Amino acid sequence: MIKLENIKKEYKMWENIVEVLKWVDLEINSWDFVSIMWPSWSWKSTLMNIIGMLDVATSWKYTFNNIEITWKKEDDLSKIRWKNIGFIFQSYNLISRMPVIKQVMLPLTYQWIAKNKREKMAIEALEKVWLADKRNNKPNELSGWQ
Ligand SMILES: Nc1ncnc2c1ncn2[C@@H]1O[C@H](COP(=O)(O)OP(=O)(O)OP(=O)(O)O)[C@@H](O)[C@H]1O
Ligand SMILES: [Mg+2]
């Protein structure tokens, strides 16, 4: 469960302050499937970064699965992230020299899952998106969609 209250996000650019989110409230319950659609340059990625605990708001109150996130330290946030959150970034953030299978296995490494189990899980995940046969390709050997 995700509950954000009174989120405000400002970016400081030299002398200017860009106000991106202003007093936003958001509640997403377990099993909700939510998509956020709004024009470009609005606030979607800013909000996703806050929900994903990759960035903090200028002022906010955030509760995630009944855990109060607002004042958590980076180390605690990274633990909550790797246990609960998967990301697909707008700019992909793939590692250029790493084959597909290793990219998929990487987050599992941080969870101390054994190598043969990581490999099995990664292949199963790749099969679900028809990419198992591309497991040894590097990012520049994939199409945009892939
Ligand atoms: N790190 C940053 N520093 C300063 N300004 C930023 C930063 N990140 C985003 N912005 C500004 O905040 C506004 C919202 O950006 P955001 O990335 O949230 O838009 P978006 O809705 O995801 O757009 P798109 O659909 O193009 O991905 C933009 O005007 C952008 O220039
Ligand atoms: Mg975006």
Side-chain angles (χ1 to χ4, degrees):
M1 196 269 281
I2 287 167
K3 190 174 183 192
L4 281 156
E5 295 162 83
N6 279 333
I7 329 163
K8 187 171 151 188
K9 177 68 181 176
E10 294 169 348
Y11 291 114
K12 195 155 184 278
M13 292 298 290
W14 309 101
E15 296 303 297
N16 300 325
I17 289 182
V18 186
E19 196 175 60
V20 180
L21 293 165
K22 194 175 179 183
W23 311 133
V24 175
D25 290 319
L26 174 74
E27 197 167 330
I28 302 174
N29 293 305
S30 302
W31 305 109
D32 280 357
F33 185 94
V34 177
S35 78
I36 298 172
M37 294 188 280
W38 210 254
S40 193
W41 307 354
S42 45
W43 41 263
K44 303 179 299 292
S45 292
T46 300
L47 180 66
M48 294 308 288
N49 289 342
I50 293 170
I51 293 175
M53 302 168 208
L54 295 172
D55 197 6
V56 293
T58 311
S59 67
W60 62 337
K61 180 168 162 46
Y62 185 3
T63 321
F64 179 90
N65 286 349
N66 297 320
I67 305 165
E68 174 73 50
I69 297 299
T70 320
W71 304 111
K72 285 250 185 277
K73 299 263 184 310
E74 184 48 47
D75 275 5
D76 296 325
L77 291 180
S78 62
K79 276 187 202 128
I80 297 170
R81 268 199 307 268
W82 68 247
K83 280 191 187 154
N84 297 281
I85 304 178
F87 294 93
I88 298 172
F89 291 101
Q90 184 164 11
S91 53
Y92 303 127
N93 291 349
L94 295 169
I95 299 162
S96 56
R97 279 185 293 269
M98 197 184 262
V100 167
I101 181 129
K102 292 227 164 119
Q103 314 255 3
V104 179
M105 284 164 67
L106 188 60
L108 305 172
T109 312
Y110 301 134
Q111 298 182 34
W112 306 104
I113 294 173
K115 188 165 179 250
N116 53 358
K117 189 163 177 213
R118 290 206 300 272
E119 227 153 39
K120 188 168 172 279
M121 289 169 78
I123 289 169
E124 278 167 14
L126 288 168
E127 275 166 355
K128 286 189 189 153
V129 292
W130 309 282
L131 283 177
D133 63 331
K134 300 286 177 185
R135 73 187 76 170
N136 294 317
N137 291 41
K138 306 216 175 72
N140 67 347
E141 296 160 348
L142 295 172
S143 78
W145 173 84
Q146 287 170 336

